[in-house]
């Protein structure tokens, strides 16, 4: 029996993964539809970005209050170290990329809005210089995030296809429980 992440945590993991992919892809798909699509996509990107921020906060809370499964018993110390490193980088970029998106809006003197229901700011009169810096950092950190996600997903499928172990099932959206050793089981 494989120790699993709590169901709520696995749902958040996959929701966040899907949303990051949509937020990234929409910036490039819009270019196929010309300038008219730009304003609409920009609004959706910002508002869905705020939904992502809320999901990340909930994920952090669930991570702190729920019992997480023990470390995957991988015989390779190198793979274990690599997995820890990649997870730490994912957490860092998951927080930094949206932060830089918001920083860009503030630097350009634009407000932060959630569709048409909420608007806060603008907080500054706007600076082209800081706007350029923050949007470039937002873009390149987003590229880095996608690259690390590809590596992370490839590692998960390497476990499934080559090593033929249960690692991927740990993040399955299935009900889980805690056994007498306080380990999550399915
Ligand atoms: C197709 C895409 C993905 C696959 C197949 C995948 C698969 C997995 C699996 C199997 C685990 C459990 C690993 C273990 O228990 O050692 C895991 C954990 C994790 N995943 Fe993913 N994942 C994907 C996308 C993402 C994305 C987009 C992020 C966030 C940017 C992410 C962040 C994490 C983190 C941080 C962990 C460690 C547990 C934690 O601290 O939350 N994953 N993933
Ligand atoms: C992980 C989440 C996110 C990803 C992967 C992402 C990715 C991107 C990418 C690839 C671009 C295109 C940059 C370019 O080449 O021009 C972009 C632009 C932008 N992002 Fe994000 N972003 C995310 C979250 C956010 C958030 C939370 C906000 C703010 C609420 C935000 C605000 C913006 C803005 C204002 C632009 C410029 C839009 C435009 O003028 O079309 N992003 N983002």
């Amino acid at each position: 029996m494989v120790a699993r992440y709590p169901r709520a945590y696995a749902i958040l993991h996959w929701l966040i993964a899907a949303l990051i992919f949509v937020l990234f892809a929409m910036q490039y798909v819009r270019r196929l539809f010309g300038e008219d699509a730009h304003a609409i996509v920009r609004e959706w990107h910002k508002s869905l970005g705020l939904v992502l921020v809320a999901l990340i906060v909930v994920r952090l809370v669930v991570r702190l209050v729920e019992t997480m499964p023990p470390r995957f018993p991988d015989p390779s110390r190198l793979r274990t170290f690599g997995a820890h490193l990649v997870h730490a980088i994912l957490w860092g970029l998951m927080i930094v990329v949206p932060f830089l998106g918001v920083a860009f809006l503030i630097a350009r003197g634009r407000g932060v809005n959630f569709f048409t229901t909420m608007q806060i700011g603008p907080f500054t009169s706007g600076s082209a210089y800081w706007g350029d810096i923050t949007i470039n950092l937002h873009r390149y950190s987003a590229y880095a995030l996608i690259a690390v996600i590809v590596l992370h997903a490839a590692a998960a499928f390497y476990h499934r296809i080559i090593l033929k172990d249960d690692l991927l099932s740990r993040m399955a959206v299935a009900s889980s429980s805690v056994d007498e050793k306080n380990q999550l089981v399915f």
Side-chain angles (χ1 to χ4, degrees):
M1 260 190 306
V2 58
R4 292 175 193 258
Y5 285 87
R7 187 182 171 82
Y9 197 76
I11 292 172
L12 285 163
H13 172 272
W14 296 115
L15 264 181
I16 287 170
L19 201 47
I20 289 176
F21 176 74
V22 168
L23 283 164
F24 186 78
M26 71 199 304
Q27 287 295 337
Y28 297 99
V29 173
R30 80 164 158 79
R31 292 179 193 182
L32 304 173
F33 298 95
E35 271 309 298
D36 288 350
H38 193 163
I40 302 167
V41 169
R42 187 196 288 141
E43 287 313 302
W44 275 84
H45 184 84
K46 287 191 290 180
S47 299
L48 288 179
L50 294 182
V51 172
L52 176 75
V53 170
L55 289 174
I56 291 171
V57 171
V58 177
R59 178 170 175 176
L60 271 170
V61 172
V62 175
R63 198 174 203 293
L64 292 175
V65 300
E66 290 265 15
T67 310
M68 293 293 131
R71 204 186 58 199
F72 183 72
D74 192 325
S76 159
R77 286 171 69 185
L78 184 65
R79 276 200 301 264
T80 303
F81 172 76
H84 277 140
L85 187 65
V86 165
H87 291 167
I89 295 172
L90 283 171
W91 267 112
L93 287 172
M94 213 182 337
I95 291 165
V96 162
V97 174
F99 172 84
L100 287 167
V102 174
F104 165 70
L105 291 171
I106 293 172
R108 282 309 297 236
R110 298 197 205 149
V112 181
N113 62 295
F114 184 69
F115 294 105
T116 51
T117 60
M118 180 203 90
Q119 161 93 39
I120 49 168
F123 301 97
T124 66
S125 54
S127 148
Y129 175 76
W130 284 107
D132 278 355
I133 289 182
T134 46
I135 195 64
N136 278 320
L137 288 173
H138 182 58
R139 179 189 308 131
Y140 292 119
S141 60
Y143 292 165
L145 175 60
I146 297 298
V148 181
I149 289 170
V150 169
L151 185 69
H152 171 66
F157 288 109
Y158 177 79
H159 274 271
R160 170 60 47 117
I161 295 161
I162 309 289
L163 301 177
K164 300 189 194 307
D165 61 30
D166 276 343
L167 178 103
L168 196 53
S169 313
R170 283 160 62 88
M171 214 31 114
V173 179
S175 49
S176 53
S177 60
V178 177
D179 69 8
E180 65 284 356
K181 291 189 203 126
N182 206 28
Q183 295 192 343
L184 283 165
V185 292
F186 173 66

